Amino acid sequence: MKTPGRNEPCWCGSGKKYKKCHIGQPVPPGFGEELTEVIRAGTRPARPDRVVKGVVSPAPPVPPEIGRPSYAATGEPTERRATNCIKKTADEIRRMRAAGKTARRVLDHVLAAVRPGITTTELDEIAHAKAVELGAYPSPLNYHGFPRSICTSVNEVICHGIPDDRALRDGDIINCDVTVYYEGMHGDCSETVFAGKPDPQSKKLVQTTYDCMMAGIASVEVGGRINEIGKAITAIAHRAGFSVVRDFAGHGIGSQFHMDPQIVHYREPRNRQRIAAGMTFTVEPMINAGSHKCDIWSDNWTAVTRDGKRSAQFEHTILVTEQGVELLTGGDGPPMFQRQLAAGW
Ligand code: MF3
Ligand code: CO
Ligand code: CO
């Protein structure tokens, strides 16, 4: 989800800077689409081959018996953004657990296929087939027109990379972001993994980003404030010499892919909203090796670092309970990148 930069004009049209206006409050739907029209040529990629754009092919079909979100046919959600139902009911929580588990199964399946030589279209096809096999709709497909079923973000791509015909190369890092719509709910998760042997700086970036996500989640408690999440994430990122992406945020999630509350990953002391039991939202920090500044490619999706340095991301969907946080997209055992490192990569 897109948020304005602190010094950019507020979305409300007041003419004031965002930081002097609606900062810390939910951004209405549709805002991101305007901002993505700001396209800057001349990005300097760390791996020049990746700026040569790949070919995006049409997505495979989803069988008609699979339940679809409202935007599946038209590209635009028909619901109004629900600002008054932030806490889930018991039945919604049951279905969120099912959606989260399904998203995790698809993510684990696609991560296991990452290797040098595979194209991101092939990874998309693997994830798409698994989602359909499990009876789920791959949520990105046609969400505001997104052309494929998962996001694949390689090296300097921050997020929303579109699967295409370019093959991964030895030493690449890739984030696979899987969201599924299952039993009327969305479950959203992502991991960054290594394709082949990583360089030391990439190892540090990926480990730090994972630590950021887990520290953000660990800061969540009933009655606590949402701004504790960005505070915890920023402390870890800065200590490692990395920066926190500001232009994309975590989000409430449920019957809608993106809903309230908004979860920014940077420090925002003014966002004093309280966390309540029954909330479900994502924590999905994007951490950059260099500057936090980003550009959007002319496809209006692919977000890349302006300096061409690498970016990593992890994401969980969580449920807040009186007993603590439940990882709705939690897996069995350590994340894939740690298994790769343990295997001697
Ligand atoms: N999964 C992304 C998130 O974490 C959103 C992807 S939107 C898409 O919020 F359209 F690009 F799929
Ligand atoms: Co996601
Ligand atoms: Co998300």
Side-chain angles (χ1 to χ4, degrees), residues 3-270:
T3 63
R6 292 171 59 81
N7 290 315
E8 291 181 304
C10 190
W11 51 262
C12 73
S14 65
K16 286 192 278 186
K17 289 183 177 180
Y18 182 50
K19 68 180 180 190
K20 294 257 152 96
C21 200
H22 278 88
I23 199 152
Q25 294 175 44
V27 179
F31 171 76
E33 285 77 65
E34 285 158 40
L35 246 199
T36 56
E37 283 166 26
V38 181
I39 297 154
R40 185 176 164 279
T43 297
R44 281 172 288 119
R47 291 285 296 270
D49 59 299
R50 294 219 64 95
V51 88
V52 177
K53 296 193 185 164
V55 176
V56 178
S57 44
V62 178
E65 61 273 18
I66 289 180
R68 291 153 196 266
S70 68
Y71 53 82
T74 62
E76 296 308 322
T78 57
E79 305 91 352
R80 289 239 150 265
R81 184 176 171 118
T83 51
N84 57 349
C85 49
I86 286 182
K87 290 156 85 172
K88 272 31 178 201
T89 65
D91 184 63
E92 286 174 325
I93 288 169
R94 179 187 63 76
R95 292 184 290 126
M96 284 299 296
R97 287 195 176 107
K101 205 174 268 302
T102 306
R104 165 53 56 182
R105 287 179 68 183
V106 175
L107 179 60
D108 283 347
H109 186 69
V110 69
L111 293 177
V114 170
R115 56 172 169 79
I118 197 166
T119 70
T120 48
T121 295
E122 289 172 305
L123 292 174
D124 177 276
E125 284 164 353
I126 289 166
H128 181 101
K130 189 70 181 173
V132 163
E133 178 198 319
L134 297 174
Y137 179 94
S139 306
L141 184 56
N142 211 21
Y143 184 65
H144 296 295
F146 191 82
R148 299 287 315 207
S149 300
I150 61 169
C151 297
T152 50
S153 301
V154 179
N155 297 347
E156 75 276 11
V157 180
I158 294 170
C159 63
H160 301 168
I162 301 174
D164 63 28
D165 66 348
R166 287 173 298 169
L168 295 177
R169 296 174 27 159
D170 190 33
D172 283 346
I173 62 171
I174 177 173
N175 174 277
C176 296
D177 191 335
V178 168
T179 316
V180 299
Y181 183 72
Y182 187 74
E183 296 215 25
M185 292 288 167
H186 295 272
D188 191 3
C189 52
S190 81
E191 290 189 20
T192 301
V193 294
F194 308 117
K197 199 169 161 43
D199 61 86
Q201 176 79 346
S202 295
K203 284 188 198 177
K204 181 180 167 194
L205 177 65
V206 172
Q207 179 70 55
T208 302
T209 306
Y210 181 72
D211 294 345
C212 284
M213 176 186 67
M214 294 310 280
I217 292 171
S219 78
V220 171
E221 57 178 347
V222 172
R225 300 205 191 267
I226 280 182
N227 61 25
E228 292 298 327
I229 299 170
K231 198 163 123 188
I233 289 168
T234 303
I236 291 180
H238 286 185
R239 200 182 309 137
F242 299 143
S243 65
V244 179
V245 170
R246 308 177 67 89
D247 290 7
F248 300 91
H251 49 92
I253 181 167
S255 60
Q256 297 173 27
F257 197 161
H258 296 113
M259 52 205 294
D260 288 337
Q262 186 185 96
I263 309 292
V264 302
H265 303 111
Y266 52 89
R267 270 175 56 88
E268 185 39 85
R270 276 165 294 189

Side-chain angles (χ1 to χ4, degrees), residues 278-312:
M279 285 182 171
T280 55
F281 56 82
T282 71
V283 177
E284 49 178 304
M286 287 140 277
I287 304 299
N288 292 355
S291 149
H292 72 274
K293 291 196 176 134
C294 85
D295 284 320
I296 308 286
W297 276 5
S298 57
D299 60 19
N300 280 345
W301 282 108
T302 312
V304 295
T305 60
R306 193 165 286 185
D307 61 15
K309 295 192 176 160
R310 290 182 172 197
S311 180

